[in-house]
Structures are given as structure tokens and as C-alpha cells.
Amino acid sequence: MKLCAVQYASITGNIEGNVERHVEFVELAASQDAELIFFPELSLTGYEPALAKGLATHEEDPRLDVFQRLSDAHGIVIGVGLPLVTSQKPQIGMVVFQPHAGRHAYAKQRLHDDELPYFSPGERPMLIETREHRLALAICHESLQPDHVATAASLGADVYLASVAKLAQGIDEAYAYYATFAREHAMTILMANCVGPCDGEAGGGRSASWIDRGKRVASLDGTQEGILMLDTATLATRMLAPAPPAA
């Protein structure tokens, strides 16, 4: 199965503009026969906790309909990040589109302490079932928690998709955790990180993939947008470069 982790620079607070650019990445991945693509944490708004309440929406927002059309047309699973409306504080969500199926939303279960003033936690794990794999979703902080990945493994997941918004100083630590988790649970792990604006700083990029022996098989740089593609059948990797955003 060809899996794609997108390294992306969000346009802060601009859902419509980010949808347009996400479409470009999905079409690029689909042109290379990708079967799944996912984006960094809160990719459709940027990781900006103070703005999340005003930007929060729901998984059936019609602005997202284009992703269902793309999923159906290309037979590709798509995961995009945005804040989800709740009766309390918004949740950090990922909306997943599968070909010819209803969309589903996953909400981050384990929040970092500095997220608690802005967000409420999700309550349940989510798996994506395909013919080849059972894929578990994780969003940033929780993806570094041993119990979260252990729960995914106990549910039969053999691929762990970490959608993150990490600064440069946190990447080496994350790499060490993911290598350990991949080895301990015999999992393939992909991390999709942001570049560009990230809560007043800059995302550290270096999106990467690990195979089930804990070996990191590919990574992107720390500043440029791109797509990391991993073929789980052959373990071959490719880096795809999008067209630069319009000025």
C-alpha cells in the first residue's frame, strides 16, 4: 500500500485557502498511485490554539466535500486536520475520507498541558481498515505516549499515522520514540509534520517513516513542503515536491 505523509505550511486561519492547497497535494499523490495521504495537525487552519474556537467546524462542513469527491475519484484515503466543534471547547480533529464511504472524524485523546485551556480531549481511538492494513491515527503529543501506541497495537493496528505540529527542538526526541515504538510493536510508522507558522514559531518539518524493525527509512528536510511516500509492500520510498504556492 502506498502511504503518503505531507509536510505542509498552513495558511494561518484560512480554511478555504488551505483546502485549495490540500487538493493540490492530494492530486499529486494520486498521480503517483498513492492509496492514502494524511496531513499535519490542524492542517486546514494551522496550529494556532488561540484561534481554534473561532475556526472550529464539523466533519460535514461542505467546504470539505471536495475531499470526498477526490477520494471517490482516485480511490485514495485522505486525512485532514482541523478543530472540531463540541458543546465544550473544540477538539483537535482529523477528518478521514474513504472511497465511497461516509466521512469520519478522530479527535486527539491525549492533550498537552498547554492545550488544555483551548481544547477538550477526544474519547476513543480510530482505525482505518483497508485490504492490506489496519491503520491507527495519532495526533502529536499522544503519539509519544507508550499507552496510546500500545492500545493501537492491541486493536490490531500494524501502521501508525502520527499527524503532528512539532518545533525543531522536539524532532530528535520524537524520532527516538517512533523508532522504539516501531520496533516494540512491529509497526510501520509515518509522521507528517508542519513547516511554516506554528503557534508563533515555525514548524520543524523532518517528516519521516519507520519500518517495523525500528529503522527510519526516509525523512524530509526541516523547511520545505513535500510528500513522503512509502510503499509498504516493497519498502521503497519517494519524495514528491509540490508546485510552490502562488504569491
Side-chain angles (χ1 to χ4, degrees):
M1 186 175 183
K2 293 180 179 178
L3 310 176
C4 289
V6 179
Q7 185 157 293
Y8 180 70
S10 296
I11 309 166
T12 301
N14 185 340
I15 293 177
E16 293 83 356
N18 284 308
V19 166
E20 290 181 7
R21 296 213 61 234
H22 278 49
V23 167
E24 295 172 6
F25 281 86
V26 174
E27 290 178 336
L28 174 59
S31 74
Q32 302 301 312
D33 300 320
E35 295 158 272
L36 179 144
I37 184 170
F38 74 108
F39 289 79
E41 183 176 21
L42 296 178
S43 59
L44 287 177
T45 62
Y47 183 82
E48 302 293 341
L51 302 180
K53 184 175 181 180
L55 295 167
T57 185
H58 52 86
E59 64 199 81
E60 299 296 337
D61 188 321
R63 292 175 293 182
L64 309 182
D65 290 353
V66 63
F67 296 119
Q68 189 62 61
R69 293 194 294 270
L70 287 168
S71 178
D72 294 345
H74 298 294
I76 187 172
V77 179
I78 303 168
V80 301
L82 81 169
L84 298 171
V85 168
T86 75
S87 60
Q88 305 172 38
K89 288 175 281 192
Q91 294 176 327
I92 297 176
M94 176 176 284
V95 182
V96 176
F97 303 83
Q98 295 177 265
H100 309 290
R103 67 191 74 173
H104 299 281
Y106 171 71
K108 185 176 185 177
Q109 300 170 270
R110 299 284 297 276
L111 299 174
H112 194 275
D113 289 346
D114 59 12
E115 294 174 327
L116 295 174
Y118 304 100
F119 298 105
S120 57
E123 298 178 350
R124 59 186 64 86
M126 179 175 166
L127 298 179
I128 300 171
E129 303 272 358
T130 71
R131 291 189 302 273
E132 299 88 354
H133 296 290
R134 181 172 287 179
L135 306 98
L137 301 180
I139 300 178
C140 210
H141 174 68
E142 66 187 5
S143 71
L144 304 182
Q145 309 309 307
D147 61 331
H148 190 274
V149 68
T151 296
S154 74
L155 295 172
D158 62 338
V159 177
Y160 193 64
L161 305 176
S163 169
V164 310
K166 290 193 173 298
L167 306 180
Q169 58 265 35
I171 303 297
D172 287 339
E173 180 184 25
Y175 272 21
Y177 274 105
Y178 295 140
T180 297
F181 295 159
R183 184 172 59 252
E184 289 181 347
H185 298 288
M187 276 185 171
T188 296
I189 297 179
L190 278 83
M191 178 190 82
N193 193 22
C194 62
V195 290
C198 180
D199 195 19
E201 300 192 57
R206 296 174 62 194
S207 302
S209 60
W210 292 258
I211 57 174
D212 57 11
R213 294 184 295 277
K215 179 182 178 182
R216 177 161 52 91
V217 292
S219 58
L220 301 182
D221 71 13
T223 59
Q224 301 297 312
E225 292 184 319
I227 298 176
L228 189 159
M229 177 185 282
L230 171 69
D231 187 331
T232 61
T234 65
L235 302 184
T237 59
R238 293 185 62 189
M239 284 64 165
L240 307 176

